[in-house]
Amino acid sequence: MNDVAIHWFRQDLRLSDNPALCKACERGGLLPIYILDDVTAGPDAMGAASRWWLHEALAMLNRQLGGHLRLYRGDARQIIPALAKSYGASSVSWTRCYEPWRVKRDKEIVDRLQALNSESIRLNGSLLWEPWDIKKQDGTPYKVFTPFFRKGCLQAIPPAAPMAAPEKIEYASALADDGAVALASLGLLPDIAWHEQMVPHWDIGEEGASKALERFLEEGLNGYKSGRDFPSLPHVSRLSPYLHWGHISPNQIWHALEALEEGDIPARDMDHFRSELAWREFSHSLLYYNQDLATKPLQNKFAQLEWRDDPVALTAWQKGKTGIPIVDAGMRELWQTGYMHNRVRMIVASFLVKNLRTDWRKGEAWFWDTLVDADLANNAASWQWVAGCGADAAPYFRIFNPVLQAEKFDPEGHYIRRFVPELASLPNKYLFQPWTAPEPVLSRAGVTLGQTYPLPIVDLKASREAALEAYHALS
Ligand code: FAD
C-alpha cells in the first residue's frame, strides 16, 4: 500500500462503527491524527472538564491504535493541508460535526484539499440521521419535537447497521518532522488537579462505553420511562459523554435496542429511550439550522428580558451553596463527577434562570466548563428550553419549585444526602427545606443554618412571582 490515507479523529474516538475510518483503511496506509484546534474554535473552545476527558480518551485511542495516533495543536485549516502535502496523502477522511465553527472550517479545508488533489471523505458517524435528512414535508426543519420524532425520525430510513472495527490496519510511516507533539504538550490537564475527583466515576474510551451500554440494557432500561426522573435510581444510561466524544455511535445503541428479545423490555421504556436519543438529534438539527443557538434566544421576544447581575448569587449556585438542598446536591454532583442527572439539570437551571433571574447564557457557560458531556447542541438547546425561549420550550410560566421537585423525585433524600452530607442527619420532613425545621431538630442533626449549611439565598415564592411578572411583561 503506497497511498497514504489520513484519518482525522474528532468526535469519533472509536474504531468500531466508524465508516470514515473504515473508508480510510481501504484507501491506503493509515495516518491517524487528532488536532487540538482552539484557534478556529474561538469562544467555543472546549471547557476544563472536557479537556480532562479528551486527555484520557486520546491516551486510550493511541493504545488501541498501537501507538500510531499523531497529535497536533493549532489551526486545522493550516495543519490538514500541510500534512496532506508532506505525506502526499490521496485522501483525508473525517466524521462530520455540526457545530457552526466546525462546519465553516471543514468547508475551507475541503477547498484547500481539492487544490492539492487530495480527496476529502466526510461521512456521518455521530448522528442517527443527518440534520438535512429529517425535514418537514415543505422542506423546512422541524421546530417542534414530537413531530420531529414521530413523523420525521420514525418514518425515515432506519439507522444503518453498525460496522465492525477494521480487521487489520496498515499504517503509513510517519515523518519525524511533521509537527506532531506529545500528549502532555497539548496541555489538556488543569494546573490544579481538581479533575482527580472525577476519575473514579468514569471508564473513558470505547470499552468503557460498551460496558456502560451493557449495564444499562441489563439493569436500567427496564423501568426507564418512570425511573429516569429519580436521580438516585440506576435508570439512566450515563452514556452522554461517550456519545459526545464518539466512543460509541448512536447507531450502535439503536441497534443494540433492536437486538433485544421481544418482550424482554416493556415497549414504553424502549420507546421513551429512543425518544431521548431523538432529543439529541433534534438539538443537533436546531444548532445546524440556528447557528447562534448558544447565544441568541430562538424566540426573539425573549431578547428584551432584563436579567439580574448578581455575581454573589451566581457563585453560590456554581458552588452548590444556595441553601436549597436539591439545587446544591445537583451542582455538587456536577463539580465532583462532571455529570448531573437530567431531572436535576432542569431543576438547577430553572432555579438560576427564574428564581435568581440570571441570564441562561451564564448557566450554559458554567455547564460548558464543568460537564464531561458538554455539547454545544444539547447544552444550548436545553438551556433555551428551560429558559422558555427555545424551540418547543417549556412555557415560561413553568417554574419548578425545587422543594416540591425534591419531595417528588428524591422522596427518601438519598441523592441529597449523598451530595450534601452536612444535612444527612436531618429527618426527611425537613431535608428538602431545612429553614423550616425547628431549632432542636436542626441541633440534633448537627445543622446550624448560616454556618454549617447556608440559609436560602432567595425567597422561592417572592422570586417566582417576580420572574412571572418579568416574563409577563414581554407578551
Ligand atoms: P439518558 O436518559 O440515558 O439518555 C440517553 C441519551 O439521550 C443521552 O446520553 C443523551 O445523548 C440523549 N439525551 C437525553 N436527554 C436529552 C436531552 N434533553 N437533550 C438532548 N439529548 C438528550 N446533554 C448533553 O449531552 N450535553 C450537554 O451539555 C447537556 N446540557 C444540558 C443542560 C441542561 C440545562 C439540561 C436540562 C439538559 C442538558 N443535557 C445535555 C441533556 C440531558 O440532561 C443529558 O443528555 C442527560 O442527562 C445525559 O444523561 P444520560 O446519558 O444518563 O441520559
Side-chain angles (χ1 to χ4, degrees):
M1 253 189 208
N2 290 327
D3 271 359
V4 172
I6 298 177
H7 181 71
W8 178 18
F9 281 100
R10 296 120 61 93
Q11 302 298 117
D12 58 337
L13 305 179
R14 64 176 183 275
L15 304 191
S16 58
D17 196 29
N18 192 329
L21 173 68
C22 287
K23 195 59 99 187
C25 292
E26 287 164 13
R27 288 298 170 89
L30 184 74
L31 189 81
I33 66 165
Y34 183 88
I35 303 172
L36 179 66
D37 182 357
D38 288 332
V39 182
T40 5
D44 292 326
M46 67 189 91
S50 296
R51 283 172 193 268
W52 162 68
W53 186 287
L54 177 62
H55 179 95
E56 301 296 332
L58 290 176
M60 176 58 83
L61 183 64
N62 189 36
R63 284 197 284 280
Q64 288 180 274
L65 293 167
H68 289 276
L69 181 65
R70 298 187 71 73
L71 307 173
Y72 306 85
R73 183 175 195 169
D75 187 337
R77 292 168 303 184
Q78 315 290 338
I79 295 172
I80 292 281
L83 288 176
K85 199 165 168 198
S86 44
Y87 280 90
S90 58
S91 67
V92 181
S93 58
W94 63 80
T95 299
R96 275 203 195 89
C97 291
Y98 306 89
E99 291 86 353
W101 66 273
R102 283 192 162 121
V103 172
K104 185 164 174 276
R105 177 193 66 181
D106 293 354
K107 274 190 191 136
E108 284 182 52
I109 292 174
V110 170
D111 291 344
R112 292 186 194 189
L113 287 175
Q114 210 165 13
L116 293 169
N117 256 336
S118 180
E119 187 188 356
S120 35
I121 300 168
R122 297 151 281 155
L123 296 175
N124 177 20
S126 300
L127 291 178
L128 295 163
W129 298 278
E130 303 268 24
W132 46 89
D133 287 336
I134 306 292
K135 294 250 193 88
K136 290 194 284 190
Q137 274 188 342
D138 65 4
T140 59
Y142 283 97
K143 292 185 177 156
V144 179
F145 173 72
T146 303
F148 172 87
F149 178 49
R150 301 266 165 224
K151 286 197 193 152
C153 303
L154 294 184
Q155 309 294 323
I157 298 171
M163 302 171 90
E167 242 170 56
K168 185 171 178 299
I169 301 180
E170 286 192 31
Y171 293 97
S173 311
L175 303 172
D177 54 353
D178 68 350
V181 297
L183 178 58
S185 313
L186 293 183
L188 292 167
L189 295 180
D191 295 336
I192 303 167
W194 66 273
H195 63 287
E196 281 173 5
Q197 56 185 342
M198 295 190 286
V199 173
H201 298 282
W202 302 102
D203 179 1
I204 297 177
E206 192 168 352
E207 209 182 307
S210 302
K211 283 189 203 152
L213 175 61
E214 220 171 283
R215 198 171 40 242
F216 175 67
L217 296 181
E218 277 170 20
E219 298 165 15
L221 181 58
N222 197 334
Y224 178 75
K225 187 172 171 23
S226 52
R228 64 183 284 275
D229 275 321
F230 294 79
S232 67
L233 296 183
H235 284 297
V236 287
S237 70
R238 295 170 66 95
L239 280 167
S240 49
Y242 299 104
L243 274 164
H244 170 75
W245 294 102
H247 299 304
I248 194 165
S249 75
N251 286 17
Q252 288 174 311
I253 302 177
W254 191 272
H255 281 272
L257 294 177
E258 302 281 293
L260 294 174
E261 295 287 327
E262 205 170 307
D264 267 5
I265 305 286
R268 61 176 179 276
D269 294 324
M270 297 276 263
D271 187 58
H272 206 91
F273 188 64
R274 285 196 188 99
S275 79
E276 293 305 327
L277 293 175
W279 267 104
R280 179 174 177 270
E281 304 280 313
F282 185 54
S283 301
H284 281 76
S285 168
L286 286 177
L287 178 64
Y288 188 75
Y289 291 110
N290 301 277
Q291 303 199 350
D292 37 20
L293 186 71
T295 51
K296 206 172 143 233
L298 279 176
Q299 297 179 47
N300 275 337
K301 69 175 181 184
F302 285 90
Q304 320 301 324
L305 198 64
E306 283 190 19
W307 301 104
R308 284 178 63 234
D309 184 21
D310 185 344
V312 176
L314 179 62
T315 305
W317 178 81
Q318 290 170 336
K319 292 194 164 167
K321 293 197 168 167
T322 66
I324 312 290
I326 188 72
V327 173
D328 293 342
M331 297 309 292
R332 294 184 199 183
E333 179 184 22
L334 172 60
W335 185 251
Q336 288 168 28
T337 71
Y339 172 92
M340 194 195 301
H341 185 276
N342 179 62
R343 167 61 48 179
V344 192
R345 290 187 204 208
M346 293 195 288
I347 298 170
V348 304
S350 170
F351 179 77
L352 182 76
V353 173
K354 304 208 167 148
N355 297 97
L356 297 181
R357 294 266 308 289
T358 299
D359 192 329
W360 58 271
R361 285 160 283 217
K362 291 189 180 160
E364 198 263 356
W366 182 251
F367 271 30
W368 181 254
D369 202 30
T370 52
L371 277 171
V372 290
D373 65 21
D375 181 279
L376 198 65
N378 290 353
N379 201 29
S382 300
W383 275 96
Q384 289 228 26
W385 186 88
V386 175
C389 56
D392 198 9
Y396 70 84
F397 49 80
R398 181 170 172 197
I399 300 181
F400 281 138
N401 178 324
V403 172
L404 297 181
Q405 288 284 314
E407 284 171 355
K408 188 165 175 196
F409 296 115
D410 188 27
E412 298 305 322
H414 296 312
Y415 179 76
I416 291 178
R417 287 193 173 88
R418 176 175 170 204
F419 289 105
V420 191
E422 64 269 38
L423 298 180
S425 302
L426 269 183
N428 283 356
K429 185 171 176 203
Y430 300 109
L431 181 66
F432 310 107
Q433 40 185 343
W435 59 93
T436 61
E439 191 43 49
V441 175
L442 289 170
S443 167
R444 268 198 305 280
V447 178
T448 309
L449 291 178
Q451 284 181 26
T452 61
Y453 184 71
L455 281 156
I457 59 169
V458 72
D459 179 276
L460 291 176
K461 190 161 179 274
S463 58
R464 178 179 193 280
E465 278 158 17
L468 281 176
E469 212 172 291
Y471 274 92
H472 268 310
L474 292 179
S475 42

